[in-house]
Amino acid sequence: PSKNVHAGAAHAFSHRLLRVNEGGWAPFNGSGGKTELGNLDMAFLLTYALGMFVSGHIADKANLRHFLTLGLLLSGAFTALYGMAFFWDIHSLPYFLFVQVAAGLFQSTGWPAVVAVVGNWFAKGKRGLIMGIWNSHTSVGNILGAVVPAAVLHYGWGWCLVVPGMAMMGMSLVVLLFLPTEPAEVGLPSPYKRSEEEQGAGEDGSSSGSALPGYDRIGEARERSSSGGVRSEAARGNGSVGFLRAWAIPGVATFACALFFAKLVAYTFLYWLPFYVHNTVIGGKSISPTEAANLSTLFDVAGIAGGIVAGYLSDRTKKSGTIAATFLVLAVPVLYAYQRFGHVSLGINIALMMISGFFVNGPYALITTAVSAELGTHESLKGNAKALGTVTAIIDGTGSLGAAVGPPLAGWISSTYSWGDVFMLLYLAVGCAAILLSRVVIAETCRSRGRRSRQSDTSPLLGESSNED
């Protein structure tokens, strides 16, 4: 699954090289080359975002192993075809546009399916930390998408995309042969059933242990189907959850809209941070394009830690929305510090870049993984387990629309106005994401207070009962 991110980052890396180097590749080396590259980026991200809504619904109906295998195989093929333009001496803009659109469409199959698979393996209570660690593959993919192309660039820019494409096609075979999409496929019990048994052993059997309460009550409905996959009885009766019904699940629209702004910020950094670092005099020195690309990977390295910490805190506090909102609020002053003091020295630039990556990618990772998985098994579905892919697609698809808007908007603002105005856009986006989560924060706070109040009310009764004995 990380290879999809690897390929997307490789596309971005190749575009960065054409932005920052002399010469370039026709038809992108003319006066309008920067705009045409931006349009290709927009085509890829928009297709990815819109394809997500469709692929997520299909993932809930399809065999996940076969679905992922086909998606990886075709994603790798079109990524490699993009790079083959170098070897075939292709300079046709429609060719690049077609390959970008196809690559975006097939790469959209990855995220809803992999979140559904991981969600099938882990129930509430541990999802935040486990998915925070697992989600590090996205940042690793981004890093590899910069480092691997840089390592083979001297052979020709085509290898920057052919190598990731071949890796994706190879990984599709690994997924087909070795990926167990459900615990029952290897003879293990459902984690949802164990979760319900643990809940029943609690004081009141409520779902208070979940970060988003009630999102895991589907365990009893799951069983092994004759085809080797796992299906729920309710799912067989009701079919996969419809798109509009999934939107109506409490919390889905709120987190989806918040992710729109959070992912806008994250992808603006992914696409433009190397260019910004290259064009900023740091400690009195200029950074080369390759050095800037490698340096920018530290943003993703810190993002790994941010996702893990956010997931851990979510598990401990049972307040996913509050954790995400807190990270977003703290991101604003950190981004300002990076803009204001990042040029002072290379050490300060690296430190502030990594702190920014920690707070920007933390909530992004939390919402796209643990929160999506929990909302995909919401109690309002009444046992229907066939919503993980659809809900994940809605949330991350909406976020990907922000990712499609952010980079070209930042490019236009930077060329028309200044990078200071780009950072102003980032502040506003982060602030909007935090404001959208405010209702969730209030609800989680009230629920926490109510739970403590109930516990304090029952404590005296327990004490009296003990005295009577």
Side-chain angles (χ1 to χ4, degrees):
S2 64
K3 296 300 181 182
N4 282 47
V5 184
H6 185 170
H11 281 265
F13 180 86
S14 296
H15 290 185
R16 292 172 195 159
L17 293 175
L18 292 174
R19 287 190 185 110
V20 300
N21 283 311
E22 297 292 335
W25 183 268
F28 309 113
N29 57 351
S31 59
K34 185 177 178 181
T35 300
E36 290 171 344
L37 285 171
N39 291 337
L40 288 181
D41 289 342
M42 173 72 83
F44 174 83
L45 292 171
L46 275 178
T47 306
Y48 177 84
L50 296 176
M52 186 89 68
F53 294 110
V54 178
S55 63
H57 194 58
I58 296 175
D60 282 335
K61 298 180 179 180
N63 180 301
L64 288 174
R65 185 188 300 105
H66 296 163
F67 186 71
L68 273 172
T69 298
L70 182 62
L72 270 172
L73 182 63
L74 292 175
S75 295
F78 280 97
T79 298
L81 282 173
Y82 194 104
M84 289 304 296
F86 173 79
F87 302 99
W88 295 338
D89 198 27
I90 295 176
H91 300 273
S92 170
L93 183 61
Y95 173 86
F96 290 103
L97 181 61
F98 168 74
V99 172
Q100 281 282 78
V101 168
L105 178 63
F106 290 116
Q107 287 190 42
S108 71
T109 62
W111 194 248
V114 295
V115 172
V117 170
V118 178
N120 288 339
W121 278 87
F122 302 102
K124 68 181 181 67
K126 297 180 180 179
R127 270 184 180 154
L129 176 59
I130 290 172
M131 284 192 155
I133 296 172
W134 169 77
N135 188 64
S136 65
H137 74 265
T138 60
S139 294
V140 172
N142 289 339
I143 293 169
L144 290 175
V147 174
V148 173
V152 298
L153 177 61
H154 62 281
Y155 295 112
W157 69 262
W159 289 107
C160 297
L161 290 153
V162 171
V163 171
M166 293 173 64
M168 291 174 69
M169 288 188 282
M171 181 57 69
S172 69
L173 182 61
V174 175
V175 169
L176 178 63
L177 296 177
F178 301 109
L179 176 66
T181 60
E182 297 278 359
E185 292 186 7
V186 290
L188 296 176
S190 167
Y192 296 95
K193 185 174 182 178
R194 293 198 303 269
S195 176
E196 287 189 344
E197 291 174 350
E198 291 171 0
Q199 282 186 0
E203 291 185 56
D204 56 5
S206 68
S207 59
S208 60
S210 175
L212 298 168
Y215 296 168
D216 290 304
R217 299 180 180 176
I218 64 173
E220 296 294 340
R222 289 179 173 263
E223 63 179 26
R224 183 89 178 261
S225 72
S226 59
S227 63
V230 175
R231 296 292 182 266
S232 74
E233 294 173 1
R236 287 198 300 271
N238 301 329
S240 60
V241 174
F243 185 75
L244 295 179
R245 186 183 176 194
W247 265 107
I249 295 173
V252 168
T254 299
F255 279 103
C257 293
L259 188 61
F260 175 93
F261 293 103
K263 205 164 181 178
L264 182 153
V265 176
Y267 269 66
T268 298
F269 272 96
L270 174 65
Y271 275 77
W272 284 103
L273 184 58
F275 185 79
Y276 174 76
V277 171
H278 169 65
N279 287 276
T280 300
V281 177
I282 301 174
K285 299 180 180 179
S286 295
I287 306 295
S288 71
T290 302
E291 290 174 334
N294 292 331
L295 185 64
S296 67
T297 61
L298 295 176
F299 183 89
D300 288 299
V301 171
I304 295 175
I308 294 173
V309 171
Y312 173 77
L313 292 176
S314 173
D315 287 342
R316 291 297 300 268
T317 64
K318 315 303 177 189
K319 298 178 180 179
S320 299
T322 302
I323 297 302
T326 301
F327 270 60
L328 290 166
V329 170
L330 293 175
V332 175
V334 172
L335 289 174
Y336 174 78
Y338 181 67
Q339 177 199 359
R340 182 70 177 81
F341 304 107
H343 68 280
V344 174
S345 69
L346 184 61
I348 292 176
N349 187 285
I350 291 174
L352 292 175
M353 180 193 299
M354 296 186 71
I355 297 173
S356 298
F358 180 90
F359 286 111
V360 168
N361 282 351
Y364 163 34
L366 180 62
I367 294 173
T368 56
T369 55
V371 170
S372 296
E374 291 181 359
L375 289 172
T377 53
H378 191 273
E379 63 180 353
S380 67
L381 299 174
K382 298 179 180 179
N384 193 333
K386 303 285 289 179
L388 274 169
T390 301
V391 169
T392 300
I394 288 173
I395 292 177
D396 199 50
T398 304
S400 295
L401 290 175
V405 171
L409 185 58
W412 176 77
I413 292 175
S414 65
S415 60
T416 306
Y417 299 99
S418 67
W419 280 104
D421 295 301
V422 172
F423 275 92
M424 184 60 66
L425 168 68
L426 301 181
Y427 305 149
L428 291 173
V430 171
C432 286
I435 292 172
L436 284 167
L437 292 177
S438 61
R439 289 181 60 187
V440 178
V441 173
I442 293 172
E444 289 177 344
T445 302
C446 292
R447 186 165 58 247
S448 178
R449 288 177 178 175
R451 187 159 55 243
R452 286 198 300 267
S453 177
R454 288 193 299 272
Q455 291 173 349
S456 63
D457 289 342
T458 58
S459 295
L461 296 177
L462 293 174
E464 291 176 9
S465 176
S466 176
N467 291 332
E468 289 176 3
D469 293 341

